[in-house]
Amino acid sequence: MSSYKKRKVKRSKSLYRRRKSTARKVLEVMAMLLVVGGLCFVGFAAGRPLINFFFGEKPINPNGDGDGDLYAAPTGNDVPAPDNSAEIVARPTDNLPIDDSVSDFSSYNAIFAPSSVLDNQTSLAAYIRQIRENGFNAVILEMKDATGNLAYASSYPPLANTDIIRENSLSATQIYAAFEGTGVMPIAKINTAADHLGSAIPDVAYAGWLDARREDGGRPWANPFLQGTRDYNSFLVGELAEAGFTEIVLANLIFPHFRGIDFSIIADEYTNPVSRYAGLVGLWDAVYGNKGAARLSIEMNLKDVVESHSGYSDTAEILRGRKDLRDTSLLLVYNKDDYGAELITGENSTVILPPDTAAAIALLYRQAEILLQQDFAIIPGLVTAGLSDAETADALKTFAELNFDSFVIR
């Protein structure tokens, strides 16, 4: 794998800063409610709305009707056992401010950008100005999507004769340079094992396997155990870090949902849920070794973390090897569509979720904190599709009341 000659990224201010007092944060959230109220975005190149929400003034009771009992935290790499004795407790009220006077990002309020903003430098510059005017100090850019398309011009040699890189793409350096001096931090997102195009690169895909019959549109996936997969994703992260990105999100560190005949084609090493997490940890470790000064986050569905009584699975499966992870944050994404009236907490046990969205969010994120035992910093993410303006506003205020330093919406 190619090595990098790292360049020093110059910054006028420290990347880290002291946490603000609760009193100051409360004052700043009040100001933010006035500034950001009625926020509406338009994707510049595509000309379609991105988001439209309002910060309401409805008070929240994060505990709903009182205490909530779920299950206790797992320890080590063991599969968690059901235990309904853990009690969710309240957290002090706090807030996530936006400070227009500085450009350091020890905390951030981020929004997912549409892919069209990377079409050209004009679209990108216009988008940056608009989100800054509307109260965000960070944006997540999907540099490699869940199909495997790259939204920037990577220099990884095996990509030279493929269609993986979007035509006329900007380079990572050009994209990062567009943010310098704007007060907006670019966060790069890389989809890792969910990659149907990476099979064009040697030693990336599962041998002889597609996720459906070829005539039905079956696609290959990247195998996290293979060195080609690790080299490829490690190279991309190193390339982005070298360009200046200081925050990088790794998404879809997952295995396909194997079924039926798959188990006769795929080696047990890749299908055994008790041990295969080692492949995900190995992929993460390869990326970690090439991240330079960048900070890494792993994106997961919040539900996969809190509904893990039989062992972490799907987007949270890598947490089976949690003791082997280090110096990383978890971007835990709440999507209302993932939940019904109940949360499964054991083979024969459930918990009734509060009907109020904000109260349910508070309960679920507190449970995630219990399970993770402060091993990871949590960054809450909110899918706004399916939420009313009032629900979105209440959810963001709940994140503040739970004392999270940053949040992401999409």
Side-chain angles (χ1 to χ4, degrees), residues 209-270:
W209 178 88
L210 302 175
D211 61 8
R213 293 188 303 174
R214 189 177 299 277
E215 56 269 29
D216 294 333
R219 302 165 300 176
W221 281 63
N223 184 340
F225 279 92
L226 298 182
Q227 193 61 45
T229 300
R230 297 178 181 185
D231 288 350
Y232 179 31
N233 287 280
S234 177
F235 185 99
L236 297 181
V237 166
E239 191 171 48
L240 293 168
E242 184 185 19
F245 287 86
T246 57
E247 297 280 347
I248 300 174
V249 177
L250 305 178
N252 284 310
L253 277 160
I254 58 176
F255 291 97
H257 289 159
F258 296 122
R259 60 191 184 276
I261 195 174
D262 294 346
F263 294 100
S264 64
I265 299 173
I266 303 297
D268 181 70
E269 180 184 18
Y270 309 147

Short mmCIF file of all heavy atoms in Angstrom, two decimals, residues 209-270:
data_model
loop_
_atom_site.label_atom_id
_atom_site.label_comp_id
_atom_site.label_asym_id
_atom_site.label_seq_id
_atom_site.Cartn_x
_atom_site.Cartn_y
_atom_site.Cartn_z
N TRP A 209 -19.42 -14.96 -4.62
CA TRP A 209 -20.69 -14.71 -3.91
C TRP A 209 -21.27 -13.36 -4.29
O TRP A 209 -20.55 -12.35 -4.37
CB TRP A 209 -20.48 -14.78 -2.40
CG TRP A 209 -21.72 -14.48 -1.61
CD1 TRP A 209 -22.68 -15.37 -1.22
CD2 TRP A 209 -22.15 -13.21 -1.12
NE1 TRP A 209 -23.68 -14.73 -0.54
CE2 TRP A 209 -23.37 -13.38 -0.46
CE3 TRP A 209 -21.61 -11.92 -1.19
CZ2 TRP A 209 -24.08 -12.35 0.14
CZ3 TRP A 209 -22.31 -10.87 -0.61
CH2 TRP A 209 -23.52 -11.08 0.06
N LEU A 210 -22.59 -13.31 -4.51
CA LEU A 210 -23.34 -12.08 -4.70
C LEU A 210 -24.51 -12.09 -3.73
O LEU A 210 -24.92 -13.15 -3.23
CB LEU A 210 -23.86 -11.97 -6.14
CG LEU A 210 -22.83 -12.01 -7.27
CD1 LEU A 210 -23.54 -12.00 -8.62
CD2 LEU A 210 -21.86 -10.83 -7.17
N ASP A 211 -25.08 -10.93 -3.44
CA ASP A 211 -26.16 -10.88 -2.45
C ASP A 211 -27.52 -11.31 -3.02
O ASP A 211 -28.53 -11.26 -2.32
CB ASP A 211 -26.25 -9.50 -1.80
CG ASP A 211 -26.54 -8.38 -2.79
OD1 ASP A 211 -26.81 -8.67 -3.96
OD2 ASP A 211 -26.49 -7.20 -2.38
N ALA A 212 -27.56 -11.69 -4.28
CA ALA A 212 -28.74 -12.27 -4.91
C ALA A 212 -28.27 -12.92 -6.21
O ALA A 212 -27.10 -12.78 -6.59
CB ALA A 212 -29.81 -11.21 -5.19
N ARG A 213 -29.16 -13.63 -6.88
CA ARG A 213 -28.77 -14.19 -8.18
C ARG A 213 -28.40 -13.07 -9.14
O ARG A 213 -29.00 -11.99 -9.12
CB ARG A 213 -29.93 -15.01 -8.75
CG ARG A 213 -30.24 -16.27 -7.96
CD ARG A 213 -31.26 -17.13 -8.69
NE ARG A 213 -32.49 -16.38 -8.96
CZ ARG A 213 -33.50 -16.85 -9.69
NH1 ARG A 213 -33.40 -18.07 -10.24
NH2 ARG A 213 -34.58 -16.12 -9.88
N ARG A 214 -27.42 -13.34 -9.97
CA ARG A 214 -26.93 -12.31 -10.88
C ARG A 214 -28.06 -11.76 -11.75
O ARG A 214 -28.15 -10.55 -11.97
CB ARG A 214 -25.81 -12.86 -11.76
CG ARG A 214 -25.10 -11.81 -12.58
CD ARG A 214 -23.94 -12.43 -13.37
NE ARG A 214 -22.94 -13.03 -12.50
CZ ARG A 214 -21.97 -12.34 -11.91
NH1 ARG A 214 -21.87 -11.03 -12.09
NH2 ARG A 214 -21.09 -12.95 -11.14
N GLU A 215 -28.95 -12.63 -12.22
CA GLU A 215 -30.06 -12.18 -13.07
C GLU A 215 -31.08 -11.35 -12.30
O GLU A 215 -31.90 -10.65 -12.90
CB GLU A 215 -30.74 -13.37 -13.74
CG GLU A 215 -31.26 -14.43 -12.79
CD GLU A 215 -30.25 -15.53 -12.52
OE1 GLU A 215 -29.03 -15.25 -12.57
OE2 GLU A 215 -30.69 -16.67 -12.26
N ASP A 216 -31.03 -11.43 -10.98
CA ASP A 216 -31.92 -10.61 -10.15
C ASP A 216 -31.22 -9.37 -9.61
O ASP A 216 -31.72 -8.72 -8.67
CB ASP A 216 -32.45 -11.45 -8.97
CG ASP A 216 -33.36 -12.57 -9.43
OD1 ASP A 216 -33.99 -12.42 -10.50
OD2 ASP A 216 -33.45 -13.60 -8.72
N GLY A 217 -30.09 -9.06 -10.17
CA GLY A 217 -29.37 -7.86 -9.74
C GLY A 217 -28.42 -8.06 -8.59
O GLY A 217 -28.11 -7.11 -7.86
N GLY A 218 -27.98 -9.29 -8.40
CA GLY A 218 -27.07 -9.57 -7.29
C GLY A 218 -25.79 -8.75 -7.37
O GLY A 218 -25.26 -8.51 -8.45
N ARG A 219 -25.30 -8.34 -6.22
CA ARG A 219 -24.13 -7.46 -6.15
C ARG A 219 -23.07 -8.05 -5.21
O ARG A 219 -23.40 -8.72 -4.24
CB ARG A 219 -24.54 -6.08 -5.63
CG ARG A 219 -25.59 -5.38 -6.45
CD ARG A 219 -26.19 -4.22 -5.69
NE ARG A 219 -26.83 -4.65 -4.45
CZ ARG A 219 -27.38 -3.83 -3.55
NH1 ARG A 219 -27.35 -2.53 -3.76
NH2 ARG A 219 -27.93 -4.31 -2.45
N PRO A 220 -21.81 -7.76 -5.48
CA PRO A 220 -20.75 -8.17 -4.55
C PRO A 220 -20.69 -7.22 -3.35
O PRO A 220 -21.27 -6.13 -3.38
CB PRO A 220 -19.48 -8.04 -5.40
CG PRO A 220 -19.81 -6.97 -6.39
CD PRO A 220 -21.28 -7.09 -6.68
N TRP A 221 -20.02 -7.62 -2.31
CA TRP A 221 -19.77 -6.79 -1.13
C TRP A 221 -18.28 -6.82 -0.83
O TRP A 221 -17.58 -7.77 -1.17
CB TRP A 221 -20.51 -7.34 0.09
CG TRP A 221 -21.97 -7.01 0.16
CD1 TRP A 221 -22.94 -7.39 -0.73
CD2 TRP A 221 -22.62 -6.28 1.20
NE1 TRP A 221 -24.16 -6.93 -0.31
CE2 TRP A 221 -23.99 -6.24 0.87
CE3 TRP A 221 -22.19 -5.66 2.36
CZ2 TRP A 221 -24.94 -5.60 1.67
CZ3 TRP A 221 -23.12 -5.02 3.16
CH2 TRP A 221 -24.48 -4.98 2.82
N ALA A 222 -17.82 -5.81 -0.14
CA ALA A 222 -16.43 -5.81 0.33
C ALA A 222 -16.32 -6.70 1.56
O ALA A 222 -17.15 -6.65 2.47
CB ALA A 222 -15.98 -4.39 0.67
N ASN A 223 -15.30 -7.53 1.59
CA ASN A 223 -15.06 -8.44 2.70
C ASN A 223 -14.05 -7.80 3.66
O ASN A 223 -12.90 -7.59 3.30
CB ASN A 223 -14.50 -9.76 2.14
CG ASN A 223 -14.30 -10.81 3.21
OD1 ASN A 223 -14.21 -10.51 4.40
ND2 ASN A 223 -14.20 -12.07 2.79
N PRO A 224 -14.47 -7.50 4.89
CA PRO A 224 -13.56 -6.79 5.82
C PRO A 224 -12.35 -7.60 6.24
O PRO A 224 -11.38 -7.04 6.74
CB PRO A 224 -14.46 -6.49 7.02
CG PRO A 224 -15.56 -7.49 6.94
CD PRO A 224 -15.79 -7.74 5.48
N PHE A 225 -12.38 -8.93 6.02
CA PHE A 225 -11.23 -9.75 6.38
C PHE A 225 -10.09 -9.62 5.37
O PHE A 225 -8.94 -9.90 5.70
CB PHE A 225 -11.64 -11.23 6.44
CG PHE A 225 -12.32 -11.63 7.72
CD1 PHE A 225 -13.69 -11.59 7.82
CD2 PHE A 225 -11.58 -12.06 8.81
CE1 PHE A 225 -14.33 -11.98 8.99
CE2 PHE A 225 -12.20 -12.45 9.98
CZ PHE A 225 -13.58 -12.40 10.09
N LEU A 226 -10.40 -9.21 4.14
CA LEU A 226 -9.40 -9.24 3.08
C LEU A 226 -8.49 -8.02 3.12
O LEU A 226 -8.93 -6.90 3.40
CB LEU A 226 -10.09 -9.32 1.72
CG LEU A 226 -10.95 -10.58 1.48
CD1 LEU A 226 -11.53 -10.56 0.07
CD2 LEU A 226 -10.13 -11.85 1.71
N GLN A 227 -7.23 -8.24 2.78
CA GLN A 227 -6.24 -7.16 2.83
C GLN A 227 -6.56 -6.08 1.81
O GLN A 227 -6.29 -4.89 2.06
CB GLN A 227 -4.84 -7.72 2.57
CG GLN A 227 -3.72 -6.74 2.92
CD GLN A 227 -3.74 -6.34 4.38
OE1 GLN A 227 -3.89 -7.19 5.26
NE2 GLN A 227 -3.59 -5.05 4.65
N GLY A 228 -7.12 -6.45 0.67
CA GLY A 228 -7.48 -5.43 -0.32
C GLY A 228 -8.50 -4.45 0.20
O GLY A 228 -8.40 -3.24 -0.04
N THR A 229 -9.50 -4.94 0.93
CA THR A 229 -10.50 -4.07 1.54
C THR A 229 -9.85 -3.15 2.56
O THR A 229 -10.16 -1.94 2.62
CB THR A 229 -11.59 -4.91 2.23
OG1 THR A 229 -12.22 -5.75 1.27
CG2 THR A 229 -12.63 -4.03 2.89
N ARG A 230 -8.96 -3.68 3.35
CA ARG A 230 -8.30 -2.88 4.39
C ARG A 230 -7.37 -1.83 3.78
O ARG A 230 -7.34 -0.68 4.20
CB ARG A 230 -7.55 -3.80 5.34
CG ARG A 230 -8.49 -4.74 6.08
CD ARG A 230 -7.78 -5.71 7.02
NE ARG A 230 -8.74 -6.59 7.67
CZ ARG A 230 -8.43 -7.47 8.62
NH1 ARG A 230 -7.16 -7.61 9.01
NH2 ARG A 230 -9.36 -8.23 9.16
N ASP A 231 -6.62 -2.24 2.76
CA ASP A 231 -5.71 -1.29 2.11
C ASP A 231 -6.49 -0.15 1.46
O ASP A 231 -6.09 1.01 1.55
CB ASP A 231 -4.88 -2.01 1.05
CG ASP A 231 -3.82 -2.92 1.64
OD1 ASP A 231 -3.60 -2.86 2.87
OD2 ASP A 231 -3.23 -3.70 0.88
N TYR A 232 -7.57 -0.49 0.79
CA TYR A 232 -8.37 0.51 0.07
C TYR A 232 -8.95 1.55 1.01
O TYR A 232 -8.74 2.76 0.84
CB TYR A 232 -9.48 -0.22 -0.69
CG TYR A 232 -10.43 0.67 -1.47
CD1 TYR A 232 -10.01 1.87 -2.04
CD2 TYR A 232 -11.75 0.29 -1.67
CE1 TYR A 232 -10.89 2.67 -2.76
CE2 TYR A 232 -12.63 1.07 -2.40
CZ TYR A 232 -12.20 2.26 -2.94
OH TYR A 232 -13.07 3.05 -3.66
N ASN A 233 -9.64 1.11 2.05
CA ASN A 233 -10.26 2.06 2.97
C ASN A 233 -9.23 2.82 3.78
O ASN A 233 -9.40 4.00 4.09
CB ASN A 233 -11.25 1.33 3.88
CG ASN A 233 -12.51 0.92 3.16
OD1 ASN A 233 -13.41 1.72 2.95
ND2 ASN A 233 -12.57 -0.34 2.75
N SER A 234 -8.13 2.15 4.12
CA SER A 234 -7.05 2.82 4.83
C SER A 234 -6.44 3.92 3.97
O SER A 234 -6.13 5.02 4.45
CB SER A 234 -5.99 1.80 5.23
OG SER A 234 -4.90 2.42 5.87
N PHE A 235 -6.26 3.64 2.70
CA PHE A 235 -5.70 4.64 1.78
C PHE A 235 -6.61 5.86 1.70
O PHE A 235 -6.15 7.00 1.76
CB PHE A 235 -5.52 4.03 0.39
CG PHE A 235 -4.83 4.95 -0.59
CD1 PHE A 235 -3.47 4.83 -0.86
CD2 PHE A 235 -5.54 5.96 -1.25
CE1 PHE A 235 -2.84 5.68 -1.76
CE2 PHE A 235 -4.92 6.82 -2.14
CZ PHE A 235 -3.56 6.68 -2.40
N LEU A 236 -7.92 5.63 1.57
CA LEU A 236 -8.86 6.74 1.46
C LEU A 236 -8.82 7.63 2.70
O LEU A 236 -8.80 8.86 2.61
CB LEU A 236 -10.28 6.22 1.23
CG LEU A 236 -10.54 5.44 -0.06
CD1 LEU A 236 -12.01 5.03 -0.13
CD2 LEU A 236 -10.15 6.24 -1.29
N VAL A 237 -8.82 6.99 3.87
CA VAL A 237 -8.79 7.77 5.11
C VAL A 237 -7.48 8.55 5.21
O VAL A 237 -7.46 9.72 5.60
CB VAL A 237 -8.99 6.84 6.32
CG1 VAL A 237 -8.63 7.55 7.62
CG2 VAL A 237 -10.44 6.36 6.38
N GLY A 238 -6.36 7.91 4.87
CA GLY A 238 -5.08 8.61 4.90
C GLY A 238 -5.05 9.77 3.93
O GLY A 238 -4.50 10.84 4.23
N GLU A 239 -5.64 9.58 2.76
CA GLU A 239 -5.69 10.63 1.75
C GLU A 239 -6.51 11.82 2.23
O GLU A 239 -6.13 12.98 2.05
CB GLU A 239 -6.31 10.04 0.48
CG GLU A 239 -6.21 10.88 -0.76
CD GLU A 239 -6.66 10.08 -1.98
OE1 GLU A 239 -7.73 9.44 -1.94
OE2 GLU A 239 -5.91 10.09 -2.98
N LEU A 240 -7.63 11.55 2.88
CA LEU A 240 -8.48 12.62 3.41
C LEU A 240 -7.80 13.34 4.57
O LEU A 240 -7.87 14.57 4.67
CB LEU A 240 -9.82 12.04 3.85
CG LEU A 240 -10.70 11.51 2.72
CD1 LEU A 240 -11.87 10.70 3.27
CD2 LEU A 240 -11.21 12.65 1.85
N ALA A 241 -7.14 12.58 5.43
CA ALA A 241 -6.41 13.20 6.54
C ALA A 241 -5.28 14.08 6.03
O ALA A 241 -5.06 15.18 6.54
CB ALA A 241 -5.88 12.12 7.48
N GLU A 242 -4.58 13.62 5.01
CA GLU A 242 -3.50 14.40 4.44
C GLU A 242 -4.03 15.69 3.82
O GLU A 242 -3.37 16.74 3.85
CB GLU A 242 -2.74 13.59 3.39
CG GLU A 242 -1.54 14.32 2.83
CD GLU A 242 -0.86 13.55 1.71
OE1 GLU A 242 -1.51 12.65 1.14
OE2 GLU A 242 0.30 13.85 1.40
N ALA A 243 -5.24 15.64 3.26
CA ALA A 243 -5.83 16.83 2.65
C ALA A 243 -6.24 17.86 3.70
O ALA A 243 -6.46 19.03 3.37
CB ALA A 243 -7.05 16.43 1.82
N GLY A 244 -6.37 17.44 4.97
CA GLY A 244 -6.70 18.38 6.03
C GLY A 244 -7.89 18.00 6.88
O GLY A 244 -8.14 18.61 7.92
N PHE A 245 -8.67 16.99 6.49
CA PHE A 245 -9.84 16.60 7.26
C PHE A 245 -9.42 16.09 8.63
O PHE A 245 -8.55 15.23 8.75
CB PHE A 245 -10.62 15.50 6.52
CG PHE A 245 -11.37 15.97 5.31
CD1 PHE A 245 -10.74 16.05 4.08
CD2 PHE A 245 -12.71 16.35 5.41
CE1 PHE A 245 -11.43 16.49 2.95
CE2 PHE A 245 -13.40 16.78 4.30
CZ PHE A 245 -12.77 16.87 3.06
N THR A 246 -10.05 16.64 9.67
CA THR A 246 -9.72 16.27 11.04
C THR A 246 -10.78 15.39 11.69
O THR A 246 -10.58 14.90 12.79
CB THR A 246 -9.50 17.51 11.91
OG1 THR A 246 -10.68 18.34 11.86
CG2 THR A 246 -8.30 18.31 11.43
N GLU A 247 -11.92 15.22 11.02
CA GLU A 247 -13.00 14.35 11.51
C GLU A 247 -13.42 13.45 10.35
O GLU A 247 -13.77 13.94 9.27
CB GLU A 247 -14.20 15.16 12.00
CG GLU A 247 -13.93 16.07 13.18
CD GLU A 247 -13.93 15.32 14.51
OE1 GLU A 247 -14.40 14.16 14.54
OE2 GLU A 247 -13.49 15.89 15.51
N ILE A 248 -13.39 12.13 10.59
CA ILE A 248 -13.76 11.17 9.56
C ILE A 248 -14.69 10.14 10.18
O ILE A 248 -14.40 9.57 11.23
CB ILE A 248 -12.52 10.48 8.96
CG1 ILE A 248 -11.59 11.52 8.31
CG2 ILE A 248 -12.94 9.42 7.93
CD1 ILE A 248 -10.27 10.96 7.83
N VAL A 249 -15.84 9.92 9.53
CA VAL A 249 -16.84 8.97 9.99
C VAL A 249 -16.74 7.69 9.15
O VAL A 249 -16.76 7.75 7.92
CB VAL A 249 -18.27 9.55 9.87
CG1 VAL A 249 -19.32 8.51 10.28
CG2 VAL A 249 -18.40 10.81 10.73
N LEU A 250 -16.64 6.56 9.82
CA LEU A 250 -16.66 5.26 9.15
C LEU A 250 -18.07 4.69 9.29
O LEU A 250 -18.57 4.53 10.41
CB LEU A 250 -15.65 4.31 9.78
CG LEU A 250 -14.20 4.79 9.87
CD1 LEU A 250 -13.34 3.74 10.56
CD2 LEU A 250 -13.65 5.12 8.49
N ALA A 251 -18.70 4.39 8.17
CA ALA A 251 -20.07 3.88 8.18
C ALA A 251 -20.11 2.48 7.60
O ALA A 251 -19.22 2.07 6.84
CB ALA A 251 -20.99 4.81 7.40
N ASN A 252 -21.18 1.76 7.95
CA ASN A 252 -21.42 0.42 7.38
C ASN A 252 -20.25 -0.54 7.55
O ASN A 252 -19.84 -1.23 6.62
CB ASN A 252 -21.83 0.53 5.92
CG ASN A 252 -23.26 1.00 5.76
OD1 ASN A 252 -24.17 0.46 6.38
ND2 ASN A 252 -23.47 2.02 4.94
N LEU A 253 -19.70 -0.56 8.76
CA LEU A 253 -18.77 -1.62 9.15
C LEU A 253 -19.63 -2.84 9.46
O LEU A 253 -19.92 -3.15 10.63
CB LEU A 253 -17.95 -1.19 10.36
CG LEU A 253 -16.72 -0.33 10.08
CD1 LEU A 253 -16.29 0.41 11.33
CD2 LEU A 253 -15.58 -1.19 9.57
N ILE A 254 -20.08 -3.54 8.42
CA ILE A 254 -21.09 -4.58 8.58
C ILE A 254 -20.79 -5.77 7.66
O ILE A 254 -19.97 -5.69 6.76
CB ILE A 254 -22.50 -4.05 8.23
CG1 ILE A 254 -22.53 -3.52 6.79
CG2 ILE A 254 -22.94 -2.97 9.22
CD1 ILE A 254 -23.90 -3.07 6.32
N PHE A 255 -21.51 -6.85 7.93
CA PHE A 255 -21.53 -8.01 7.05
C PHE A 255 -22.88 -8.04 6.33
O PHE A 255 -23.88 -7.54 6.85
CB PHE A 255 -21.34 -9.30 7.84
CG PHE A 255 -19.97 -9.47 8.42
CD1 PHE A 255 -19.71 -9.12 9.74
CD2 PHE A 255 -18.93 -9.99 7.65
CE1 PHE A 255 -18.44 -9.28 10.29
CE2 PHE A 255 -17.66 -10.15 8.18
CZ PHE A 255 -17.41 -9.79 9.50
N PRO A 256 -22.93 -8.67 5.16
CA PRO A 256 -24.24 -8.87 4.52
C PRO A 256 -25.12 -9.78 5.38
O PRO A 256 -24.63 -10.48 6.28
CB PRO A 256 -23.88 -9.55 3.19
CG PRO A 256 -22.42 -9.32 3.00
CD PRO A 256 -21.83 -9.21 4.36
N HIS A 257 -26.41 -9.80 5.11
CA HIS A 257 -27.31 -10.72 5.79
C HIS A 257 -27.28 -12.05 5.04
O HIS A 257 -28.05 -12.28 4.11
CB HIS A 257 -28.73 -10.15 5.83
CG HIS A 257 -28.87 -9.00 6.76
ND1 HIS A 257 -29.87 -8.08 6.68
CD2 HIS A 257 -28.11 -8.62 7.82
CE1 HIS A 257 -29.75 -7.18 7.63
NE2 HIS A 257 -28.68 -7.48 8.34
N PHE A 258 -26.36 -12.92 5.44
CA PHE A 258 -26.23 -14.22 4.78
C PHE A 258 -27.45 -15.08 5.09
O PHE A 258 -28.00 -15.04 6.20
CB PHE A 258 -24.96 -14.92 5.24
CG PHE A 258 -23.70 -14.21 4.87
CD1 PHE A 258 -22.79 -13.80 5.83
CD2 PHE A 258 -23.40 -13.96 3.54
CE1 PHE A 258 -21.61 -13.15 5.49
CE2 PHE A 258 -22.23 -13.30 3.17
CZ PHE A 258 -21.34 -12.90 4.15
N ARG A 259 -27.86 -15.90 4.12
CA ARG A 259 -29.01 -16.76 4.31
C ARG A 259 -28.94 -17.95 3.35
O ARG A 259 -28.28 -17.90 2.31
CB ARG A 259 -30.32 -15.99 4.08
CG ARG A 259 -30.44 -15.41 2.69
CD ARG A 259 -31.62 -14.43 2.59
NE ARG A 259 -31.80 -13.95 1.22
CZ ARG A 259 -31.14 -12.93 0.69
NH1 ARG A 259 -30.24 -12.28 1.43
NH2 ARG A 259 -31.36 -12.54 -0.54
N GLY A 260 -29.66 -19.01 3.70
CA GLY A 260 -29.81 -20.15 2.81
C GLY A 260 -28.51 -20.72 2.29
O GLY A 260 -27.59 -21.08 3.04
N ILE A 261 -28.42 -20.75 0.97
CA ILE A 261 -27.26 -21.36 0.30
C ILE A 261 -25.97 -20.60 0.56
O ILE A 261 -24.87 -21.13 0.38
CB ILE A 261 -27.53 -21.45 -1.22
CG1 ILE A 261 -26.53 -22.41 -1.88
CG2 ILE A 261 -27.49 -20.07 -1.85
CD1 ILE A 261 -26.84 -22.67 -3.35
N ASP A 262 -26.08 -19.35 1.03
CA ASP A 262 -24.87 -18.55 1.31
C ASP A 262 -23.92 -19.29 2.24
O ASP A 262 -22.70 -19.19 2.11
CB ASP A 262 -25.25 -17.21 1.96
CG ASP A 262 -26.03 -16.31 1.02
OD1 ASP A 262 -26.03 -16.60 -0.20
OD2 ASP A 262 -26.62 -15.33 1.50
N PHE A 263 -24.49 -20.04 3.20
CA PHE A 263 -23.66 -20.67 4.21
C PHE A 263 -22.85 -21.84 3.65
O PHE A 263 -21.89 -22.30 4.28
CB PHE A 263 -24.53 -21.13 5.38
CG PHE A 263 -25.15 -19.99 6.13
CD1 PHE A 263 -26.47 -19.63 5.89
CD2 PHE A 263 -24.41 -19.24 7.03
CE1 PHE A 263 -27.05 -18.57 6.57
CE2 PHE A 263 -24.98 -18.17 7.71
CZ PHE A 263 -26.31 -17.83 7.47
N SER A 264 -23.23 -22.33 2.47
CA SER A 264 -22.43 -23.37 1.83
C SER A 264 -21.38 -22.78 0.89
O SER A 264 -20.49 -23.50 0.43
CB SER A 264 -23.34 -24.32 1.05
OG SER A 264 -24.00 -23.66 -0.01
N ILE A 265 -21.50 -21.48 0.62
CA ILE A 265 -20.56 -20.81 -0.28
C ILE A 265 -19.51 -20.03 0.51
O ILE A 265 -18.33 -20.02 0.15
CB ILE A 265 -21.31 -19.84 -1.22
CG1 ILE A 265 -22.31 -20.62 -2.09
CG2 ILE A 265 -20.35 -19.05 -2.09
CD1 ILE A 265 -23.19 -19.72 -2.92
N ILE A 266 -19.96 -19.39 1.59
CA ILE A 266 -19.11 -18.50 2.36
C ILE A 266 -18.48 -19.26 3.53
O ILE A 266 -19.13 -20.05 4.21
CB ILE A 266 -19.93 -17.31 2.92
CG1 ILE A 266 -20.60 -16.55 1.78
CG2 ILE A 266 -19.05 -16.38 3.73
CD1 ILE A 266 -19.65 -15.92 0.80
N ALA A 267 -17.21 -19.02 3.76
CA ALA A 267 -16.48 -19.67 4.86
C ALA A 267 -17.10 -19.31 6.21
O ALA A 267 -17.60 -18.19 6.40
CB ALA A 267 -15.01 -19.25 4.83
N ASP A 268 -17.05 -20.26 7.12
CA ASP A 268 -17.60 -20.06 8.46
C ASP A 268 -16.97 -18.85 9.15
O ASP A 268 -17.59 -18.18 9.97
CB ASP A 268 -17.39 -21.31 9.31
CG ASP A 268 -17.96 -21.18 10.70
OD1 ASP A 268 -19.21 -21.15 10.82
OD2 ASP A 268 -17.18 -21.09 11.67
N GLU A 269 -15.74 -18.57 8.82
CA GLU A 269 -15.03 -17.42 9.40
C GLU A 269 -15.80 -16.13 9.17
O GLU A 269 -15.76 -15.22 10.00
CB GLU A 269 -13.64 -17.31 8.77
CG GLU A 269 -12.79 -16.16 9.29
CD GLU A 269 -11.47 -16.06 8.56
OE1 GLU A 269 -11.35 -16.63 7.46
OE2 GLU A 269 -10.56 -15.41 9.11
N TYR A 270 -16.53 -16.06 8.03
CA TYR A 270 -17.24 -14.84 7.67
C TYR A 270 -18.71 -14.85 8.10
O TYR A 270 -19.38 -13.82 8.02
CB TYR A 270 -17.19 -14.63 6.15
CG TYR A 270 -15.82 -14.70 5.54
CD1 TYR A 270 -15.64 -15.19 4.26
CD2 TYR A 270 -14.69 -14.29 6.25
CE1 TYR A 270 -14.38 -15.26 3.67
CE2 TYR A 270 -13.43 -14.36 5.68
CZ TYR A 270 -13.27 -14.86 4.39
OH TYR A 270 -12.02 -14.92 3.83
#
